[in-house]
Amino acid sequence: MVRDLREGLLAQPRRIPSKYFYDERGSQLFDEITRLPEYYPTRAERALLLRCARTIVGVAAPHTLVELGAGSADKTRILLDEMLRIAPADATYVPVDVSADFLAASAAQLRAEYPALTIRPVAADFSTHFSLSAHPSPALHVFLGSTIGNFTPDDAIRLVSSVRERMASTDFFLLGVDLRKDAALIERAYNDTRGVTARFNRNMLTVINDCLGADFDPSRFGHNAVYNTEHHRIEMRLISCGDQQVDIPGVGRLTFKAGEAILTEFSYKYDYDLAAELLSGSGLVLREWFTDDAGLFALALASR
């Protein structure tokens, strides 16, 4: 974290990697965001999974489901239900998430709901190298919720390439992508009227305070999220509400001018061509492309 903050906050424009949203509170806030009326991606993806899960599981025939950024695994239950319907005796779920406390609570809930399912949680930052223990094959590796949009195109290829390296020849990869659409609809999803996304954005500063002993005052930063039509991405920032200084152990004392911004998240929006380019650039082949009727969201199923 110290290395990332030195690199990001001493640069111009200032930035903080989006992975630092996710302590236990951040994970809870994001789970709340997914249920907001303005936040269409979760509803669209859920409806798509309900429609396509049988086809996806039928093609992949998984005995193990490995999920990056599992969170509460709410939508993943649709795939787990279908996987258990074909009843492999060794059915296994491997949720991977950076928030260890939230992951442990989610795994405990899943064990109560699915006593026939072996659950092996992995607390890890999936954007860096991590290894998986042996698991039943074949596996379906999933990355849902359009989180791939938080990575630049080059970083997305590096991430999906790391997934490919963990895949056996019989494995499949399922990717969720938020599609390009009306900018106003996208912006509303990141500027909800209840202010949950704003609290989620500011919680990043609380994470830094808790982990490093910094003295950010989150209430002195405003939330800003706008759609960049040229790059097809949401850009989310924290805006300093006045001149202020912040001490971050290991980084130093930083001065923020009124109106100065910290970039906290990109969220790239995809189309078919960009998704196919990402997968082929990562050494994978796009096998199936599923979209909802309104063209809000897509699921891409790929193999080696």
Side-chain angles (χ1 to χ4, degrees):
M1 181 184 281
V2 169
R3 183 180 65 249
D4 286 344
L5 294 181
R6 280 179 182 160
E7 182 180 317
L9 289 177
L10 299 180
Q12 288 296 334
R14 301 185 196 263
R15 64 187 186 277
I16 301 174
S18 57
K19 63 186 177 183
Y20 295 121
F21 285 131
Y22 296 103
D23 63 348
E24 185 173 13
R25 176 60 178 155
S27 297
Q28 291 168 345
L29 283 168
F30 185 72
D31 195 49
E32 188 176 346
I33 286 169
T34 65
R35 303 172 197 280
L36 292 169
E38 298 97 333
Y39 196 77
Y40 64 84
T42 301
R43 291 190 302 278
E45 186 178 33
R46 171 181 285 280
L48 196 53
L49 282 166
L50 286 168
R51 194 177 82 196
C52 302
R54 182 163 294 193
T55 300
I56 292 165
V57 172
V59 171
H63 287 230
T64 298
L65 195 151
V66 179
E67 181 173 19
L68 302 185
S72 64
D74 186 41
K75 298 185 302 292
T76 316
R77 285 166 169 79
I78 299 168
L79 293 170
L80 292 174
D81 288 342
E82 191 59 34
M83 187 170 78
L84 288 168
R85 188 186 67 80
I86 59 177
D90 54 358
T92 301
Y93 177 48
V94 182
V96 181
D97 202 275
V98 71
S99 177
D101 291 339
F102 193 78
L103 179 65
S106 177
Q109 178 65 36
L110 285 164
R111 288 189 180 103
E113 292 179 38
Y114 296 95
L117 184 66
T118 298
I119 300 173
R120 298 176 180 170
V122 176
D125 173 4
F126 59 75
S127 68
T128 63
H129 176 76
F130 71 94
S131 54
L132 296 174
S133 59
H135 52 263
S137 292
L140 174 61
H141 301 252
V142 303
F143 194 23
L144 301 177
S146 75
T147 308
I148 193 65
N150 298 153
F151 296 84
T152 65
D154 287 344
D155 287 341
I157 286 176
R158 279 190 283 272
L159 175 62
V160 177
S161 295
S162 72
V163 175
R164 182 194 177 279
E165 291 171 4
R166 288 188 292 270
M167 291 171 60
S169 60
T170 56
D171 289 357
F172 280 80
F173 175 55
L174 182 67
L175 177 68
V177 293
D178 193 7
L179 295 174
R180 297 172 185 177
K181 60 187 75 66
D182 178 64
L185 178 63
I186 296 173
E187 286 190 345
R188 281 197 297 273
Y190 293 83
N191 294 282
D192 63 278
T193 56
R194 291 175 51 193
V196 181
T197 309
R199 293 198 296 275
F200 173 72
N201 198 7
R202 284 191 288 266
N203 185 68
M204 175 181 279
L205 304 181
T206 302
V207 171
I208 295 169
N209 287 347
D210 292 345
C211 290
L212 297 182
D215 61 357
F216 278 106
D217 180 352
S219 70
R220 298 201 65 198
F221 287 84
H223 166 74
N224 175 265
V226 295
Y227 188 65
N228 183 319
T229 55
E230 178 183 356
H231 295 290
H232 303 287
R233 68 190 185 195
I234 277 284
E235 297 173 354
M236 198 155 78
R237 296 176 173 87
L238 291 167
I239 309 295
S240 180
C241 295
D243 293 347
Q244 56 183 307
Q245 289 188 324
V246 177
D247 285 307
I248 308 175
V251 179
R253 175 170 291 183
L254 304 180
T255 298
F256 293 90
K257 300 292 186 182
E260 189 172 1
I262 305 172
L263 178 68
T264 55
E265 183 180 73
F266 286 140
S267 184
Y268 283 83
K269 306 309 172 187
Y270 277 71
D271 58 12
Y272 176 89
D273 290 340
L274 184 59
E277 181 180 322
L278 164 61
L279 294 167
S280 64
S282 306
L284 296 174
V285 178
L286 178 58
R287 300 294 185 186
E288 301 281 353
W289 176 257
F290 307 96
T291 62
D292 63 294
D293 293 338
L296 298 175
F297 205 89
L299 292 168
L301 184 64
S303 65
R304 291 181 58 148

